[in-house]
Amino acid sequence: MEPKIVVVGLSGYSIFMDVNHFHQSGETLVAGDVFFEPGGKGFNQAVAAKRLGGDVCFISSVGNDEYGRLCEERLIKEGVNSCLIKKDGINTAFAVILTDDKGENQVTVYRGASRFLTAEDIERHEELIKAADVLLLQMEVPLEANKKALEIANRHGVTTILNPAPPWDFDFKLINENTIITPNEFEVRAIFGLSPDEAVLDNKKIIGKYQEHLKRMIITLGEKGCAMFNEGVVRLIPALKVKALNTTGAGDVFNGALAVRIGSGESFIDSARFAVIASGLSVEKYFALESFPRREEVIQMLKEQNGLDDLR
């Protein structure tokens, strides 16, 4: 039976351009290629979760415009249950992603209609959240919307995964023992107040705050895999060894995969292992949605990667 996943987040449209290197001050670059597709962290995570075996509902807001229509069409095509709220007189969110010849990205986001997702919009979908196995959130939508979603989930005992990206409004008061947070290295520095030269792992600031507020946390470490904090124990899961062509959306695949496996009743460590493999597969292809793997691909790779059982 497919786990029920509710995702709340940003829907928008994205333009991808390939460049040899990123801009220096005042520099004009000529892109080698251009590609358009819908996206946003929430949108991406919803699609990833569906491809990886979830029964997914996606709550978001878009403009009453062509880009909003295209977002909805893609969700329907992917099999995601679309709960898009149309906001008149406001443009759908938009993002510009530059990828250099090393496969690294720079992203600029216009939040558009996503800035106007309200607590009332979320409250209208309480029954969906109540019935979910996992609620998956990020921080590209207003804080009031996330607070309401978390409040509903907590009231009904629904596990929540909060991907604090970008870490603009993060507050430890948002979360409780039902919440898993999944920051990357940049985000963990922001939310735990670390300086650039402080170690991310084995750090007293992290351990102290973690023990006070959380039971479970995963720090995604890119090509190094991820670090699991579970009931005070830290374990590393190594990344899949791949040639990265484009890292756009890899974190979204990780979160979608984690939500599906947690929602399926898998252990925290097995869910994280599945998520590491899924995100690793996604960087082998260009763009975001085009690179997202399906459940069968991840299962096959897991069978081939027995070495991932050697956790450090």
Side-chain angles (χ1 to χ4, degrees):
M1 187 173 176
E2 294 180 335
K4 294 184 181 298
I5 312 297
V6 172
V7 183
V8 178
L10 183 148
S11 272
Y13 226 74
S14 302
I15 178 171
F16 293 80
M17 288 186 282
D18 291 340
V19 293
N20 290 330
H21 60 275
F22 296 130
H23 294 80
Q24 297 180 24
S25 179
E27 183 180 13
T28 297
L29 296 178
V30 175
D33 200 2
V34 65
F35 182 79
F36 295 85
E37 71 175 7
K41 290 185 182 299
F43 191 102
N44 290 346
Q45 290 175 16
V47 171
K50 176 60 183 175
R51 290 192 187 179
L52 293 166
D55 176 5
V56 182
C57 295
F58 180 45
I59 303 171
S60 185
S61 57
V62 295
N64 194 4
D65 57 16
E66 178 70 3
Y67 290 120
R69 182 184 67 78
L70 290 170
C71 287
E72 187 164 38
E73 283 184 359
R74 184 58 181 264
L75 290 171
I76 293 168
K77 180 181 177 182
E78 293 285 346
V80 175
N81 299 311
S82 169
C83 297
L84 296 188
I85 300 144
K86 293 181 173 63
K87 304 288 184 177
D88 290 328
I90 307 163
N91 291 322
T92 297
F94 208 87
V96 178
I97 300 103
L98 299 181
T99 303
D100 70 6
D101 56 11
K102 298 176 183 176
E104 296 298 321
N105 300 304
Q106 286 188 350
V107 182
T108 302
V109 176
Y110 164 70
R111 295 171 71 193
S114 66
R115 292 184 296 123
F116 298 95
L117 186 67
T118 66
E120 290 74 22
D121 292 330
I122 301 300
E123 203 159 22
R124 293 188 198 105
H125 295 89
E126 178 165 359
E127 290 303 310
L128 278 178
I129 297 173
K130 177 182 176 181
D133 294 299
V134 174
L135 170 69
L136 177 56
L137 306 172
Q138 327 73 39
M139 305 197 72
E140 289 184 323
V141 299
L143 186 59
E144 64 169 296
N146 276 341
K147 280 183 174 179
K148 179 56 68 174
L150 286 164
E151 174 192 314
I152 293 169
N154 290 337
R155 189 186 314 144
H156 298 292
V158 176
T159 297
T160 57
I161 297 175
L162 176 59
N163 177 216
W168 293 325
D169 296 316
F170 184 83
D171 186 337
F172 279 98
K173 294 177 183 176
L174 283 172
I175 58 181
N176 65 19
E177 62 182 16
N178 289 326
T179 309
I180 303 165
I181 67 169
T182 57
N184 64 20
E185 289 183 83
F186 168 79
E187 292 147 5
V188 85
R189 290 185 187 282
I191 65 180
F192 286 97
L194 304 184
S195 65
D197 59 342
E198 287 185 277
V200 167
L201 301 181
D202 194 27
N203 186 293
K204 291 181 180 179
K205 287 184 184 177
I206 292 180
I207 297 296
K209 200 119 185 176
Y210 161 75
Q211 290 176 338
E212 180 183 353
H213 293 278
L214 288 164
K215 283 192 174 179
R216 293 180 291 179
M217 173 175 67
I218 295 179
I219 302 174
T220 56
L221 302 168
E223 63 183 16
K224 293 176 285 186
C226 73
M228 294 176 51
F229 290 66
N230 187 23
E231 303 278 354
V233 177
V234 183
R235 303 180 78 170
L236 298 181
I237 299 179
L240 187 64
K241 290 188 171 81
V242 295
K243 180 181 178 181
L245 296 179
N246 190 340
T247 58
T248 303
D252 298 329
V253 172
F254 185 97
N255 281 279
L258 185 70
V260 168
R261 301 306 279 187
I262 292 287
S264 299
E266 298 288 335
S267 69
F268 190 38
I269 191 165
D270 286 342
S271 298
R273 183 183 290 111
F274 183 89
V276 163
I277 292 289
S279 61
L281 289 173
S282 76
V283 306
E284 293 185 302
K285 299 176 183 177
Y286 288 108
F287 311 121
L289 300 184
E290 300 301 314
S291 72
F292 291 0
R294 299 187 182 276
R295 179 180 179 276
E296 296 75 18
E297 297 173 69
V298 182
I299 295 295
Q300 181 59 36
M301 184 56 71
L302 273 168
K303 291 177 180 178
E304 297 173 8
Q305 296 290 317
N306 293 327
L308 282 181
D309 289 330
D310 181 22
L311 300 179
R312 300 188 298 279

